[in-house]
Structures are given as structure tokens and as C-alpha cells.
Amino acid sequence: AAAAHGREAQARTLLAAGAPMNTTRGSDGWTPLMCACDGGHAHLVQLLCDGKADVGIVTSDHKSALIMARGHPEVTQVLQRATAASSAEQRPTPRNSTSRISQVAPGQGEGGGSERHSNTEMQPIPAPLPPPNKTRLSHAPL
């Protein structure tokens, strides 16, 4: 109810007390985020998104928070930023092309000891083989 009616102080109190923000109400499947979006309460949408509310939940009739934000451009922008930030957090981070193992010389561990390391350096992939020659090599009768 706090999200639907734009009651930021009440919403902050509930969140601080550990109230679940992704719980759906009744049979319609609305979350507090959806209620705030539908009411055009951008400040509450931001608060919920900062608290990691799930933007991807859909209702029983397949409506998302973004659909409910139609007609509220500021709310739509908050949701788009939250979705982009969530996607960026889920992407794997690029790794350095040099693996840690290949930086340690064989027989030399991090402490200079004599731990054994297998040769794990990556080798280039060989070029593909040409297609087989379909002409006969000899003219002998079969």
C-alpha cells in the first residue's frame, strides 16, 4: 500500500525492517515496484530499484513494471537505468588474455618453491584442412 500511494517514509521504514520487496499481492501478481510504477511515483521506484527490486517480474496477465510505467516518463527512465545496471552486473567481466598459470614459470610457484605445474599455455588453433581431392591418383582399372 505504501508504494501504491506514494508513501516514501512508510516504504523506507518497511524496507529497513526487511520487508520483502519482490513479494506479489493476491492473485494479480503485483509487486510493490509495479504499484509504484502504476502510480507514477518515480522516487519510490528509484528507492525500490536501489534496494534490488526485481524489474523482470510479470503479473498473472503478463504485465511488467515497465508496461505499468507507461504514461510516466520519469518512472520509465528510472526503470531503464535500473535494467541497464542490472544487466551490466550480470555480464561476465573480461579476463586478461594471459592466464595466471602461464605467468608462473614451470617448477616455480608463487613462493619460489618447486611446485609442479603442467604446461597449460594455449596453443594456436591450426588452420582447417583443405577439402579432399576427388580426382583419382592412378588410372589403373578397378
Side-chain angles (χ1 to χ4, degrees), residues 76-137:
T76 302
Q77 289 174 352
V78 171
L79 286 174
Q80 289 171 336
R81 284 192 304 265
T83 303
S86 175
S87 297
E89 288 174 6
Q90 294 175 2
R91 277 188 220 123
T93 56
R95 300 183 106 170
N96 190 340
S97 60
T98 306
S99 71
R100 175 69 185 108
I101 293 174
S102 67
Q103 293 173 0
V104 178
Q108 298 297 314
E110 291 179 7
S114 60
E115 297 99 7
R116 296 185 65 158
H117 295 278
S118 63
N119 185 4
T120 59
E121 291 186 27
M122 297 183 70
Q123 300 297 320
I125 298 173
L129 296 173
N133 188 352
K134 296 196 181 210
T135 59
R136 282 193 176 178
L137 296 177

Side-chain angles (χ1 to χ4, degrees), residues 46-70:
Q46 185 66 60
L47 177 70
L48 291 166
C49 287
D50 289 346
K52 304 296 182 205
D54 189 346
V55 179
I57 295 175
V58 294
T59 64
S60 57
D61 59 346
H62 310 289
K63 292 181 182 172
S64 67
L66 192 56
I67 289 172
M68 293 176 189
R70 274 194 256 174

